[in-house]
Amino acid sequence: MSTESKILTFAITNQTKNSENNITPPVIKKIPKELRRKKFKADISLSWYKRFVDRLKNDSQFFRSSVQLAFVLLCLWIGIEFYLFMKWGMSEGTASYFERPPGVEGFLPISALMGLLHWIFSGTLNTIHPAATIILIAIIAVSIVMKKAFCSWMCPIGTLSESLWMLGQQLFKKNITVWKWLDYPLRSLKYLLLLFFTYSIAMMSVDDLNVFINSPYNKVADIKMYLFFAEISSFALWTIIILMLASVVIKNFWCRFLCPYGALLGLAGLVSPFRITRVIETCIDCELCTKVCPSNIKVHQIGQANSNNTIGHVWSDECTSCMRCVEECPVKETLVLRSRLNETVGQATKKSVSVSPFVFGSLIVGVFIAITGLGILTGHWHNSVSKDEYQFRFQQMDSPLYNHARGSVPQYGPND
Ligand code: SF4
Ligand code: SF4
């Protein structure tokens, strides 16, 4: 369906709905010809490679899906390597040895946060899970610069969530939007979880952090995580199934309501210089941006609370910079991603810099790769647990030493 017909269909549906509810329908302005934004169309005369690059440059959603796919494949690769490492460990050394991939530490957020605080307070990066801390720093840096973009561009759980609500849309033609009065308290759950984790960790002294980080439990935290899923209890399995089913009917159920990582990135993103910006004068009020926003942000209304505004910014901590709204807007230069650098009130649209989705996406990937790459190059990536030590610990895995309760680990000696 062309953009013009999309607008028309949406307007008619909306007008019917509004007249049924006695609401004044929105007036959709016509787009002046010179302001019509053309949708990307592949040039079939180009070679497949040039067509691919052309599409990456001009179709933000294709670019984003490609980055998402690349990260899913990277996680699968890490998963296969870790599976082979586990196979060796569980075989008591009879199977072939495969080195543990450090990237698996990206799935140890608690260890990463402890490592970060320990690094800040002690000045030394731990050698048990250094990659966990480097990955956490890379993700926070991406969020500080480019808002919560990690969630919609890189996170494999975010990609799974997005696939699930899209499946729901295919099956039921739409997703459920949670009532506003329930949405706010549910959204605050992830902040409460974040508060709980950060408070528990922040209350630990450097010595406590040191004890935890070097404990037998933390040394095998990734192995424990693998065993948790490989020998999953029926309670945990049902919890995951329920979360996945909820994500089919409600967009990004886990990410929106429960993910403490998302809460942290949402807060970090508040200082980002980039904002989705709507130019009120040229906006035709078609509401297509709001319709496609997976975070249920009323993009078509931003900035209109004050009649003096010429532009409006999306401030919401839920905006994941997915660029769906920007891609969908049919009017040139009306919904854009702008930096607020050099912005002057009153002349903001002239002074701030508009950033193309391609540049923005490249920045997201670039910042992440630069920081993790720096970690690898400076030797802060591989841990100090040797092959022999892993073999020893695999044999001891049933010992109470490899348990923990709410951040505290059993006492251990120098030989444990
Ligand atoms: S406001 Fe735009 S960029 Fe932000 S989440 Fe919604 S659709 Fe994505
Ligand atoms: S900003 Fe939103 S409402 Fe305005 S023209 Fe663009 S898509 Fe339509």
Side-chain angles (χ1 to χ4, degrees):
M1 209 193 274
S2 73
T3 310
E4 296 276 300
S5 21
K6 264 193 202 169
I7 296 172
L8 196 64
T9 319
F10 183 61
I12 292 168
T13 328
N14 241 17
Q15 277 174 353
T16 318
K17 270 193 211 160
N18 287 330
S19 55
E20 278 166 8
N21 297 330
N22 280 338
I23 300 169
T24 320
V27 181
I28 298 174
K29 298 167 213 157
K30 269 196 124 189
I31 314 173
K33 213 172 173 189
E34 66 283 4
L35 282 182
R36 272 179 213 165
R37 211 182 119 241
K38 280 194 191 129
K39 282 259 169 190
F40 171 78
K41 252 191 176 171
D43 181 350
I44 45 168
S45 67
L46 296 174
S47 66
W48 72 266
Y49 168 73
K50 283 191 177 154
R51 240 183 298 156
F52 177 74
V53 175
D54 194 31
R55 193 160 177 202
L56 280 183
K57 279 187 182 165
N58 296 299
D59 181 347
S60 66
Q61 296 313 293
F62 179 74
F63 185 23
R64 190 170 66 87
S65 304
S66 306
V67 175
Q68 283 178 313
L69 180 65
F71 270 81
V72 167
L73 291 176
L74 179 67
C75 291
L76 277 179
W77 181 24
I78 290 171
I80 292 169
E81 284 191 330
F82 195 59
Y83 164 76
L84 294 171
F85 166 77
M86 286 298 297
K87 211 173 151 197
W88 163 78
M90 305 292 277
S91 73
E92 297 185 357
T94 53
S96 322
Y97 174 66
F98 280 87
E99 203 179 322
R100 188 195 70 112
V104 76
E105 294 175 16
F107 295 90
L108 301 177
I110 306 285
S111 202
L113 196 53
M114 285 196 179
L116 180 60
L117 289 183
H118 180 260
W119 195 4
I120 293 170
F121 295 133
S122 73
T124 324
L125 176 60
N126 75 86
T127 59
I128 306 302
H129 294 307
T133 304
I134 297 290
I135 293 170
L136 177 66
I137 292 172
I139 294 171
I140 293 177
V142 166
S143 311
I144 288 175
V145 185
M146 275 128 336
K147 298 187 67 178
K148 221 172 151 182
F150 174 80
C151 302
S152 65
W153 286 75
M154 292 173 172
C155 177
I157 309 291
T159 305
L160 176 66
S161 269
E162 189 172 344
S163 313
L164 288 173
W165 69 252
M166 284 171 123
L167 174 73
Q169 220 166 46
Q170 290 290 323
L171 293 175
F172 312 117
K173 304 285 169 245
K174 63 176 201 170
N175 305 99
I176 295 172
T177 309
V178 176
W179 300 288
K180 229 177 181 174
W181 62 266
L182 186 60
D183 187 50
Y184 283 119
L186 285 179
R187 271 164 55 189
S188 55
L189 285 177
K190 61 179 183 291
Y191 288 103
L192 291 177
L193 285 170
L194 174 69
L195 191 71
F196 169 74
F197 288 123
T198 39
Y199 179 77
S200 312
I201 296 172
M203 284 299 105
M204 292 169 81
S205 65
V206 183
D207 288 341
D208 291 341
L209 288 169
N210 214 13
V211 168
F212 186 94
I213 287 170
N214 291 293
S215 67
Y217 169 77
N218 189 46
K219 284 184 176 176
V220 298
D222 42 1
I223 296 172
K224 284 276 190 181
M225 177 188 63
Y226 178 97
L227 294 174
F228 173 82
F229 287 104
E231 300 161 3
I232 195 160
S233 66
S234 55
F235 175 75
L237 183 63
W238 276 109
T239 306
I240 293 173
I241 292 174
I242 290 169
L243 285 174
M244 287 177 77
L245 289 177
S247 303
V248 172
V249 286
I250 298 172
K251 280 182 186 170
N252 299 326
F253 182 85
W254 164 260
C255 311
R256 188 173 178 85
F257 301 134
L258 296 169
C259 180
Y261 223 127
L264 175 68
L265 305 187
L267 292 178
L270 292 177
V271 297
S272 161
F274 295 109
R275 290 279 174 271
I276 298 290
T277 306
R278 168 178 166 255
V279 179
I280 296 169
E281 199 188 7
T282 53
C283 171
I284 58 162
D285 296 318
C286 66
E287 297 185 30
L288 286 176
C289 46
T290 297
K291 205 179 161 222
V292 295
C293 177
S295 302
N296 299 331
I297 298 168
K298 299 245 178 283
V299 188
H300 73 286
Q301 287 175 356
I302 53 169
Q304 72 187 28
N306 183 340
S307 56
N308 293 329
N309 281 348
T310 52
I311 57 164
H313 295 303
V314 170
W315 286 100
S316 171
D317 58 324
E318 295 298 335
C319 175
T320 59
S321 304
C322 68
M323 311 296 270
R324 277 174 173 271
C325 54
V326 174
E327 191 63 51
E328 203 61 29
C329 181
V331 192
K332 267 186 202 163
E333 293 293 318
T334 293
L335 201 58
V336 284
L337 185 83
R338 275 185 190 279
S339 81
R340 289 177 294 123
L341 303 172
N342 304 323
E343 182 175 299
T344 324
V345 178
Q347 292 169 2
T349 52
K350 288 183 184 137
K351 293 241 173 176
S352 60
V353 186
S354 167
V355 182
S356 82
F358 181 69
V359 171
F360 186 70
S362 308
L363 263 176
I364 295 167
V365 180
V367 170
F368 186 85
I369 292 178
I371 294 178
T372 47
L374 197 66
I376 295 170
L377 291 175
T378 54
H380 297 107
W381 193 249
H382 289 272
N383 70 3
S384 59
V385 183
S386 66
K387 180 184 169 189
D388 289 344
E389 186 175 345
Y390 270 126
Q391 197 159 32
F392 166 74
R393 296 198 181 281
F394 265 109
Q395 286 160 8
Q396 307 280 312
M397 203 61 75
D398 292 331
S399 148
L401 269 180
Y402 294 92
N403 290 325
H404 83 115
R406 292 185 192 166
S408 62
V409 285
Q411 267 199 339
Y412 61 91
N415 297 323
D416 289 324

